[in-house]
Amino acid sequence: MAETQEAAVVFGVLNESSAHESRVALTPDIVTRLRKAGVSCLIERGAGLAAQYTDDDYVKAGAQVLSADEVIAGADVLGFVDRPSSSLVGRLKAGTWVIGMLGSFTDADYVASLDKAGLVGVAMERLPRQLSSAQSMDEMTSQNSVMGYKAALVAANAYGSFFPMMTTAAGTIRPAKVLILGAGIAGLQAIGTARRLGAVVTAYDVRPASRGEVESLGAKFLDLGLDFSAGQGEGGYARALTAEEQAAQQAAVDEKAAGFDVIITTAKVPGRKPPVLLTKAGVDGLKRGAVIVDCAASELGGNVEGSAVGTSVTDGGVTIIGAPYLASEVSNTAANLLARNVADVLAHFVRDGKLSIDLGEELDDALVVAGRPAKSVASAEA
């Protein structure tokens, strides 16, 4: 077919290996989008089922549905939600490009293994988010938005009462008081969702500029009763807090947290240890029946001191839900957004019908962490 002959780069996607993962790095509409950019697509059988896409959906869009070995053999580029396992890295042919969240900030050995295998590693966690040209590639933004939405739903499900105020024949039930710690993309989405569910929402972030964003969504900004405005940094910028001020700030957050029914923490930093936003003292101060959803819980720790992946209940009756995989639980929408991010990263590197790295280009220098060739890499067919 003419379209197949025009395609110079072959993009492949495999089943994600993680047991908790329901997303896929390619959706049928992105197959069509990539064909227009001169990229043909291969996908492993069944890879999209958990995200509600059948093999037939991909075939109709113009992709080839193959076995994993056939995808590996035929693809110039492989896209991942996460990253290929070490065993899979050993199966990939030299010269293959790998696009995904590679953990390059903390796992130098893994990056070195890509280099040793002759692979080109494109680490999406290194995307310069301030570049306007990179906005559509920003997986952190798209997936954190989904995560914040789902976090509010998980919290509402675990909480033993209503989020909204309810007036019934048996009396009036007050609305839940929800505190969001971290007002980035996920936090703002959690604020909006919790408010739509009827909760009274308060939020806090260490960035002073976040106050306006929080209040624009109808939430209150948590007043810690502290004043760190004395003194000014160089050039008129806010100065860094001293260790004593940071300790006072944390103690104030822990103390204020006691007045809330639900706490959602959202400061997730891919590949890095997340900051502690609520200490053990803060958890111990919560009332029995309170619920915490920690979106950053991982083997590196979480936003809540002592939290871990999964659900636990403290001796004081506080439920802590360590939930770093929430975006995967909204698999269809999350996959749609993520596939667009991955596809736009790929399209950026397709130049004159080839995969190419410009070593002087800011985006290329930031994203390519392994196998940095000095010239274009032709497709496997060439």
PDB file of all heavy atoms in Angstrom, residues 288-326:
ATOM      1  N   ARG A 288      -9.835   9.668  64.414  1.00  0.00           N
ATOM      2  CA  ARG A 288     -10.187   8.318  63.973  1.00  0.00           C
ATOM      3  C   ARG A 288     -11.174   8.415  62.803  1.00  0.00           C
ATOM      4  O   ARG A 288     -12.126   9.183  62.844  1.00  0.00           O
ATOM      5  CB  ARG A 288     -10.811   7.525  65.119  1.00  0.00           C
ATOM      6  CG  ARG A 288     -11.223   6.103  64.757  1.00  0.00           C
ATOM      7  CD  ARG A 288     -11.626   5.319  65.980  1.00  0.00           C
ATOM      8  NE  ARG A 288     -10.476   5.041  66.834  1.00  0.00           N
ATOM      9  CZ  ARG A 288      -9.656   4.005  66.670  1.00  0.00           C
ATOM     10  NH1 ARG A 288      -9.858   3.147  65.674  1.00  0.00           N
ATOM     11  NH2 ARG A 288      -8.647   3.828  67.499  1.00  0.00           N
ATOM     12  N   GLY A 289     -10.938   7.627  61.774  1.00  0.00           N
ATOM     13  CA  GLY A 289     -11.788   7.649  60.590  1.00  0.00           C
ATOM     14  C   GLY A 289     -11.275   8.555  59.484  1.00  0.00           C
ATOM     15  O   GLY A 289     -11.814   8.542  58.374  1.00  0.00           O
ATOM     16  N   ALA A 290     -10.237   9.339  59.772  1.00  0.00           N
ATOM     17  CA  ALA A 290      -9.657  10.197  58.737  1.00  0.00           C
ATOM     18  C   ALA A 290      -9.011   9.338  57.649  1.00  0.00           C
ATOM     19  O   ALA A 290      -8.586   8.206  57.904  1.00  0.00           O
ATOM     20  CB  ALA A 290      -8.631  11.147  59.347  1.00  0.00           C
ATOM     21  N   VAL A 291      -8.937   9.873  56.454  1.00  0.00           N
ATOM     22  CA  VAL A 291      -8.376   9.159  55.308  1.00  0.00           C
ATOM     23  C   VAL A 291      -7.263   9.983  54.680  1.00  0.00           C
ATOM     24  O   VAL A 291      -7.407  11.195  54.476  1.00  0.00           O
ATOM     25  CB  VAL A 291      -9.464   8.892  54.242  1.00  0.00           C
ATOM     26  CG1 VAL A 291      -8.858   8.303  52.967  1.00  0.00           C
ATOM     27  CG2 VAL A 291     -10.540   7.963  54.794  1.00  0.00           C
ATOM     28  N   ILE A 292      -6.149   9.326  54.387  1.00  0.00           N
ATOM     29  CA  ILE A 292      -5.043   9.959  53.667  1.00  0.00           C
ATOM     30  C   ILE A 292      -4.833   9.197  52.367  1.00  0.00           C
ATOM     31  O   ILE A 292      -4.737   7.957  52.368  1.00  0.00           O
ATOM     32  CB  ILE A 292      -3.732   9.919  54.472  1.00  0.00           C
ATOM     33  CG1 ILE A 292      -3.881  10.655  55.806  1.00  0.00           C
ATOM     34  CG2 ILE A 292      -2.583  10.526  53.667  1.00  0.00           C
ATOM     35  CD1 ILE A 292      -2.684  10.471  56.728  1.00  0.00           C
ATOM     36  N   VAL A 293      -4.747   9.914  51.244  1.00  0.00           N
ATOM     37  CA  VAL A 293      -4.361   9.311  49.969  1.00  0.00           C
ATOM     38  C   VAL A 293      -3.019   9.912  49.578  1.00  0.00           C
ATOM     39  O   VAL A 293      -2.924  11.112  49.301  1.00  0.00           O
ATOM     40  CB  VAL A 293      -5.404   9.557  48.863  1.00  0.00           C
ATOM     41  CG1 VAL A 293      -4.923   8.964  47.536  1.00  0.00           C
ATOM     42  CG2 VAL A 293      -6.744   8.942  49.247  1.00  0.00           C
ATOM     43  N   ASP A 294      -1.979   9.083  49.582  1.00  0.00           N
ATOM     44  CA  ASP A 294      -0.623   9.527  49.258  1.00  0.00           C
ATOM     45  C   ASP A 294      -0.303   9.077  47.832  1.00  0.00           C
ATOM     46  O   ASP A 294      -0.010   7.912  47.579  1.00  0.00           O
ATOM     47  CB  ASP A 294       0.372   8.920  50.252  1.00  0.00           C
ATOM     48  CG  ASP A 294       1.793   9.420  50.038  1.00  0.00           C
ATOM     49  OD1 ASP A 294       2.041  10.111  49.019  1.00  0.00           O
ATOM     50  OD2 ASP A 294       2.667   9.111  50.875  1.00  0.00           O
ATOM     51  N   CYS A 295      -0.357  10.017  46.905  1.00  0.00           N
ATOM     52  CA  CYS A 295      -0.126   9.691  45.493  1.00  0.00           C
ATOM     53  C   CYS A 295       1.346   9.428  45.177  1.00  0.00           C
ATOM     54  O   CYS A 295       1.662   8.962  44.076  1.00  0.00           O
ATOM     55  CB  CYS A 295      -0.624  10.836  44.611  1.00  0.00           C
ATOM     56  SG  CYS A 295      -2.400  11.112  44.686  1.00  0.00           S
ATOM     57  N   ALA A 296       2.226   9.740  46.104  1.00  0.00           N
ATOM     58  CA  ALA A 296       3.662   9.612  45.848  1.00  0.00           C
ATOM     59  C   ALA A 296       4.285   8.385  46.500  1.00  0.00           C
ATOM     60  O   ALA A 296       5.497   8.177  46.403  1.00  0.00           O
ATOM     61  CB  ALA A 296       4.389  10.859  46.326  1.00  0.00           C
ATOM     62  N   ALA A 297       3.478   7.562  47.163  1.00  0.00           N
ATOM     63  CA  ALA A 297       4.032   6.394  47.864  1.00  0.00           C
ATOM     64  C   ALA A 297       4.784   5.491  46.888  1.00  0.00           C
ATOM     65  O   ALA A 297       4.316   5.208  45.795  1.00  0.00           O
ATOM     66  CB  ALA A 297       2.905   5.620  48.536  1.00  0.00           C
ATOM     67  N   SER A 298       5.963   5.051  47.291  1.00  0.00           N
ATOM     68  CA  SER A 298       6.785   4.178  46.453  1.00  0.00           C
ATOM     69  C   SER A 298       7.850   3.539  47.326  1.00  0.00           C
ATOM     70  O   SER A 298       7.901   3.755  48.536  1.00  0.00           O
ATOM     71  CB  SER A 298       7.447   4.982  45.331  1.00  0.00           C
ATOM     72  OG  SER A 298       8.462   5.831  45.858  1.00  0.00           O
ATOM     73  N   GLU A 299       8.724   2.765  46.684  1.00  0.00           N
ATOM     74  CA  GLU A 299       9.816   2.155  47.438  1.00  0.00           C
ATOM     75  C   GLU A 299      10.793   3.212  47.947  1.00  0.00           C
ATOM     76  O   GLU A 299      11.611   2.943  48.831  1.00  0.00           O
ATOM     77  CB  GLU A 299      10.560   1.126  46.572  1.00  0.00           C
ATOM     78  CG  GLU A 299      11.291   1.681  45.375  1.00  0.00           C
ATOM     79  CD  GLU A 299      10.382   1.916  44.175  1.00  0.00           C
ATOM     80  OE1 GLU A 299       9.165   1.634  44.283  1.00  0.00           O
ATOM     81  OE2 GLU A 299      10.897   2.366  43.136  1.00  0.00           O
ATOM     82  N   LEU A 300      10.714   4.425  47.402  1.00  0.00           N
ATOM     83  CA  LEU A 300      11.588   5.519  47.841  1.00  0.00           C
ATOM     84  C   LEU A 300      10.986   6.302  49.003  1.00  0.00           C
ATOM     85  O   LEU A 300      11.594   7.213  49.539  1.00  0.00           O
ATOM     86  CB  LEU A 300      11.853   6.477  46.670  1.00  0.00           C
ATOM     87  CG  LEU A 300      12.599   5.903  45.466  1.00  0.00           C
ATOM     88  CD1 LEU A 300      12.674   6.928  44.344  1.00  0.00           C
ATOM     89  CD2 LEU A 300      13.991   5.436  45.853  1.00  0.00           C
ATOM     90  N   GLY A 301       9.762   5.962  49.389  1.00  0.00           N
ATOM     91  CA  GLY A 301       9.062   6.704  50.429  1.00  0.00           C
ATOM     92  C   GLY A 301       7.830   7.363  49.856  1.00  0.00           C
ATOM     93  O   GLY A 301       7.394   7.042  48.748  1.00  0.00           O
ATOM     94  N   GLY A 302       7.275   8.323  50.567  1.00  0.00           N
ATOM     95  CA  GLY A 302       6.083   9.011  50.093  1.00  0.00           C
ATOM     96  C   GLY A 302       5.992  10.398  50.675  1.00  0.00           C
ATOM     97  O   GLY A 302       6.898  10.859  51.368  1.00  0.00           O
ATOM     98  N   ASN A 303       4.905  11.096  50.394  1.00  0.00           N
ATOM     99  CA  ASN A 303       4.669  12.419  50.974  1.00  0.00           C
ATOM    100  C   ASN A 303       4.286  12.332  52.440  1.00  0.00           C
ATOM    101  O   ASN A 303       4.364  13.317  53.168  1.00  0.00           O
ATOM    102  CB  ASN A 303       3.556  13.148  50.228  1.00  0.00           C
ATOM    103  CG  ASN A 303       3.897  13.488  48.790  1.00  0.00           C
ATOM    104  OD1 ASN A 303       3.014  13.539  47.952  1.00  0.00           O
ATOM    105  ND2 ASN A 303       5.174  13.723  48.497  1.00  0.00           N
ATOM    106  N   VAL A 304       3.830  11.147  52.858  1.00  0.00           N
ATOM    107  CA  VAL A 304       3.424  10.925  54.239  1.00  0.00           C
ATOM    108  C   VAL A 304       4.463  10.027  54.903  1.00  0.00           C
ATOM    109  O   VAL A 304       4.775   8.952  54.386  1.00  0.00           O
ATOM    110  CB  VAL A 304       2.032  10.280  54.310  1.00  0.00           C
ATOM    111  CG1 VAL A 304       1.625  10.027  55.761  1.00  0.00           C
ATOM    112  CG2 VAL A 304       1.009  11.161  53.608  1.00  0.00           C
ATOM    113  N   GLU A 305       5.004  10.450  56.003  1.00  0.00           N
ATOM    114  CA  GLU A 305       6.048   9.679  56.682  1.00  0.00           C
ATOM    115  C   GLU A 305       5.533   8.276  57.039  1.00  0.00           C
ATOM    116  O   GLU A 305       4.488   8.135  57.671  1.00  0.00           O
ATOM    117  CB  GLU A 305       6.496  10.400  57.947  1.00  0.00           C
ATOM    118  CG  GLU A 305       7.696   9.759  58.612  1.00  0.00           C
ATOM    119  CD  GLU A 305       8.210  10.537  59.807  1.00  0.00           C
ATOM    120  OE1 GLU A 305       7.592  11.566  60.174  1.00  0.00           O
ATOM    121  OE2 GLU A 305       9.235  10.126  60.380  1.00  0.00           O
ATOM    122  N   GLY A 306       6.252   7.257  56.573  1.00  0.00           N
ATOM    123  CA  GLY A 306       5.884   5.886  56.881  1.00  0.00           C
ATOM    124  C   GLY A 306       4.896   5.261  55.917  1.00  0.00           C
ATOM    125  O   GLY A 306       4.546   4.084  56.063  1.00  0.00           O
ATOM    126  N   SER A 307       4.441   5.997  54.899  1.00  0.00           N
ATOM    127  CA  SER A 307       3.464   5.416  53.975  1.00  0.00           C
ATOM    128  C   SER A 307       4.146   4.436  53.022  1.00  0.00           C
ATOM    129  O   SER A 307       5.345   4.514  52.775  1.00  0.00           O
ATOM    130  CB  SER A 307       2.748   6.507  53.171  1.00  0.00           C
ATOM    131  OG  SER A 307       3.616   7.085  52.212  1.00  0.00           O
ATOM    132  N   ALA A 308       3.363   3.514  52.506  1.00  0.00           N
ATOM    133  CA  ALA A 308       3.848   2.528  51.543  1.00  0.00           C
ATOM    134  C   ALA A 308       2.730   2.257  50.551  1.00  0.00           C
ATOM    135  O   ALA A 308       1.575   2.633  50.769  1.00  0.00           O
ATOM    136  CB  ALA A 308       4.250   1.232  52.257  1.00  0.00           C
ATOM    137  N   VAL A 309       3.073   1.619  49.446  1.00  0.00           N
ATOM    138  CA  VAL A 309       2.060   1.292  48.438  1.00  0.00           C
ATOM    139  C   VAL A 309       1.044   0.324  49.043  1.00  0.00           C
ATOM    140  O   VAL A 309       1.411  -0.673  49.670  1.00  0.00           O
ATOM    141  CB  VAL A 309       2.711   0.682  47.192  1.00  0.00           C
ATOM    142  CG1 VAL A 309       1.642   0.297  46.165  1.00  0.00           C
ATOM    143  CG2 VAL A 309       3.704   1.665  46.580  1.00  0.00           C
ATOM    144  N   GLY A 310      -0.234   0.632  48.873  1.00  0.00           N
ATOM    145  CA  GLY A 310      -1.286  -0.195  49.450  1.00  0.00           C
ATOM    146  C   GLY A 310      -2.031   0.551  50.542  1.00  0.00           C
ATOM    147  O   GLY A 310      -1.811   1.743  50.777  1.00  0.00           O
ATOM    148  N   THR A 311      -2.919  -0.152  51.221  1.00  0.00           N
ATOM    149  CA  THR A 311      -3.761   0.461  52.253  1.00  0.00           C
ATOM    150  C   THR A 311      -3.400  -0.077  53.631  1.00  0.00           C
ATOM    151  O   THR A 311      -3.237  -1.286  53.813  1.00  0.00           O
ATOM    152  CB  THR A 311      -5.250   0.177  51.974  1.00  0.00           C
ATOM    153  OG1 THR A 311      -5.596   0.710  50.700  1.00  0.00           O
ATOM    154  CG2 THR A 311      -6.139   0.803  53.034  1.00  0.00           C
ATOM    155  N   SER A 312      -3.273   0.831  54.578  1.00  0.00           N
ATOM    156  CA  SER A 312      -2.998   0.433  55.965  1.00  0.00           C
ATOM    157  C   SER A 312      -3.830   1.309  56.892  1.00  0.00           C
ATOM    158  O   SER A 312      -4.289   2.386  56.508  1.00  0.00           O
ATOM    159  CB  SER A 312      -1.509   0.583  56.294  1.00  0.00           C
ATOM    160  OG  SER A 312      -1.095   1.932  56.166  1.00  0.00           O
ATOM    161  N   VAL A 313      -4.022   0.843  58.105  1.00  0.00           N
ATOM    162  CA  VAL A 313      -4.769   1.602  59.107  1.00  0.00           C
ATOM    163  C   VAL A 313      -3.892   1.731  60.343  1.00  0.00           C
ATOM    164  O   VAL A 313      -3.362   0.741  60.855  1.00  0.00           O
ATOM    165  CB  VAL A 313      -6.096   0.907  59.470  1.00  0.00           C
ATOM    166  CG1 VAL A 313      -6.851   1.722  60.522  1.00  0.00           C
ATOM    167  CG2 VAL A 313      -6.967   0.710  58.231  1.00  0.00           C
ATOM    168  N   THR A 314      -3.716   2.946  60.823  1.00  0.00           N
ATOM    169  CA  THR A 314      -2.871   3.182  61.992  1.00  0.00           C
ATOM    170  C   THR A 314      -3.586   2.744  63.263  1.00  0.00           C
ATOM    171  O   THR A 314      -4.794   2.494  63.268  1.00  0.00           O
ATOM    172  CB  THR A 314      -2.504   4.670  62.112  1.00  0.00           C
ATOM    173  OG1 THR A 314      -3.691   5.406  62.476  1.00  0.00           O
ATOM    174  CG2 THR A 314      -1.946   5.213  60.809  1.00  0.00           C
ATOM    175  N   ASP A 315      -2.841   2.670  64.359  1.00  0.00           N
ATOM    176  CA  ASP A 315      -3.440   2.328  65.655  1.00  0.00           C
ATOM    177  C   ASP A 315      -4.507   3.343  66.059  1.00  0.00           C
ATOM    178  O   ASP A 315      -5.436   3.017  66.806  1.00  0.00           O
ATOM    179  CB  ASP A 315      -2.352   2.268  66.740  1.00  0.00           C
ATOM    180  CG  ASP A 315      -1.393   1.105  66.529  1.00  0.00           C
ATOM    181  OD1 ASP A 315      -1.774   0.164  65.807  1.00  0.00           O
ATOM    182  OD2 ASP A 315      -0.276   1.156  67.075  1.00  0.00           O
ATOM    183  N   GLY A 316      -4.387   4.566  65.526  1.00  0.00           N
ATOM    184  CA  GLY A 316      -5.365   5.601  65.840  1.00  0.00           C
ATOM    185  C   GLY A 316      -6.564   5.614  64.906  1.00  0.00           C
ATOM    186  O   GLY A 316      -7.394   6.522  64.972  1.00  0.00           O
ATOM    187  N   GLY A 317      -6.646   4.608  64.013  1.00  0.00           N
ATOM    188  CA  GLY A 317      -7.808   4.503  63.133  1.00  0.00           C
ATOM    189  C   GLY A 317      -7.770   5.369  61.894  1.00  0.00           C
ATOM    190  O   GLY A 317      -8.804   5.628  61.275  1.00  0.00           O
ATOM    191  N   VAL A 318      -6.583   5.807  61.492  1.00  0.00           N
ATOM    192  CA  VAL A 318      -6.432   6.612  60.279  1.00  0.00           C
ATOM    193  C   VAL A 318      -6.082   5.687  59.112  1.00  0.00           C
ATOM    194  O   VAL A 318      -5.136   4.898  59.199  1.00  0.00           O
ATOM    195  CB  VAL A 318      -5.336   7.678  60.446  1.00  0.00           C
ATOM    196  CG1 VAL A 318      -5.117   8.444  59.138  1.00  0.00           C
ATOM    197  CG2 VAL A 318      -5.695   8.637  61.572  1.00  0.00           C
ATOM    198  N   THR A 319      -6.838   5.777  58.036  1.00  0.00           N
ATOM    199  CA  THR A 319      -6.570   4.964  56.842  1.00  0.00           C
ATOM    200  C   THR A 319      -5.588   5.694  55.936  1.00  0.00           C
ATOM    201  O   THR A 319      -5.836   6.848  55.542  1.00  0.00           O
ATOM    202  CB  THR A 319      -7.870   4.691  56.063  1.00  0.00           C
ATOM    203  OG1 THR A 319      -8.770   3.958  56.896  1.00  0.00           O
ATOM    204  CG2 THR A 319      -7.598   3.884  54.798  1.00  0.00           C
ATOM    205  N   ILE A 320      -4.466   5.029  55.613  1.00  0.00           N
ATOM    206  CA  ILE A 320      -3.464   5.602  54.708  1.00  0.00           C
ATOM    207  C   ILE A 320      -3.445   4.758  53.433  1.00  0.00           C
ATOM    208  O   ILE A 320      -3.171   3.560  53.480  1.00  0.00           O
ATOM    209  CB  ILE A 320      -2.065   5.629  55.342  1.00  0.00           C
ATOM    210  CG1 ILE A 320      -2.088   6.401  56.661  1.00  0.00           C
ATOM    211  CG2 ILE A 320      -1.068   6.256  54.368  1.00  0.00           C
ATOM    212  CD1 ILE A 320      -0.751   6.394  57.386  1.00  0.00           C
ATOM    213  N   ILE A 321      -3.734   5.397  52.312  1.00  0.00           N
ATOM    214  CA  ILE A 321      -3.759   4.705  51.021  1.00  0.00           C
ATOM    215  C   ILE A 321      -2.579   5.199  50.195  1.00  0.00           C
ATOM    216  O   ILE A 321      -2.545   6.348  49.749  1.00  0.00           O
ATOM    217  CB  ILE A 321      -5.078   4.965  50.271  1.00  0.00           C
ATOM    218  CG1 ILE A 321      -6.273   4.537  51.128  1.00  0.00           C
ATOM    219  CG2 ILE A 321      -5.091   4.238  48.933  1.00  0.00           C
ATOM    220  CD1 ILE A 321      -7.613   4.935  50.555  1.00  0.00           C
ATOM    221  N   GLY A 322      -1.588   4.339  50.030  1.00  0.00           N
ATOM    222  CA  GLY A 322      -0.449   4.661  49.177  1.00  0.00           C
ATOM    223  C   GLY A 322      -0.797   4.273  47.751  1.00  0.00           C
ATOM    224  O   GLY A 322      -0.909   3.095  47.438  1.00  0.00           O
ATOM    225  N   ALA A 323      -0.999   5.276  46.890  1.00  0.00           N
ATOM    226  CA  ALA A 323      -1.589   5.008  45.574  1.00  0.00           C
ATOM    227  C   ALA A 323      -0.852   5.716  44.443  1.00  0.00           C
ATOM    228  O   ALA A 323      -1.347   6.707  43.894  1.00  0.00           O
ATOM    229  CB  ALA A 323      -3.056   5.428  45.594  1.00  0.00           C
ATOM    230  N   PRO A 324       0.323   5.230  44.060  1.00  0.00           N
ATOM    231  CA  PRO A 324       1.063   5.884  42.985  1.00  0.00           C
ATOM    232  C   PRO A 324       0.562   5.535  41.583  1.00  0.00           C
ATOM    233  O   PRO A 324       0.974   6.147  40.609  1.00  0.00           O
ATOM    234  CB  PRO A 324       2.488   5.358  43.187  1.00  0.00           C
ATOM    235  CG  PRO A 324       2.283   3.988  43.761  1.00  0.00           C
ATOM    236  CD  PRO A 324       1.067   4.101  44.647  1.00  0.00           C
ATOM    237  N   TYR A 325      -0.324   4.547  41.467  1.00  0.00           N
ATOM    238  CA  TYR A 325      -0.725   4.050  40.146  1.00  0.00           C
ATOM    239  C   TYR A 325      -2.133   4.482  39.752  1.00  0.00           C
ATOM    240  O   TYR A 325      -2.798   3.829  38.954  1.00  0.00           O
ATOM    241  CB  TYR A 325      -0.648   2.523  40.130  1.00  0.00           C
ATOM    242  CG  TYR A 325       0.676   1.971  40.604  1.00  0.00           C
ATOM    243  CD1 TYR A 325       0.736   1.032  41.628  1.00  0.00           C
ATOM    244  CD2 TYR A 325       1.868   2.423  40.047  1.00  0.00           C
ATOM    245  CE1 TYR A 325       1.947   0.527  42.069  1.00  0.00           C
ATOM    246  CE2 TYR A 325       3.091   1.940  40.489  1.00  0.00           C
ATOM    247  CZ  TYR A 325       3.121   0.985  41.497  1.00  0.00           C
ATOM    248  OH  TYR A 325       4.328   0.497  41.940  1.00  0.00           O
ATOM    249  N   LEU A 326      -2.599   5.583  40.297  1.00  0.00           N
ATOM    250  CA  LEU A 326      -3.986   5.973  40.084  1.00  0.00           C
ATOM    251  C   LEU A 326      -4.305   6.272  38.625  1.00  0.00           C
ATOM    252  O   LEU A 326      -5.423   6.018  38.164  1.00  0.00           O
ATOM    253  CB  LEU A 326      -4.325   7.183  40.950  1.00  0.00           C
ATOM    254  CG  LEU A 326      -4.384   6.908  42.456  1.00  0.00           C
ATOM    255  CD1 LEU A 326      -4.662   8.200  43.210  1.00  0.00           C
ATOM    256  CD2 LEU A 326      -5.449   5.872  42.777  1.00  0.00           C
TER     257      LEU A 326
END
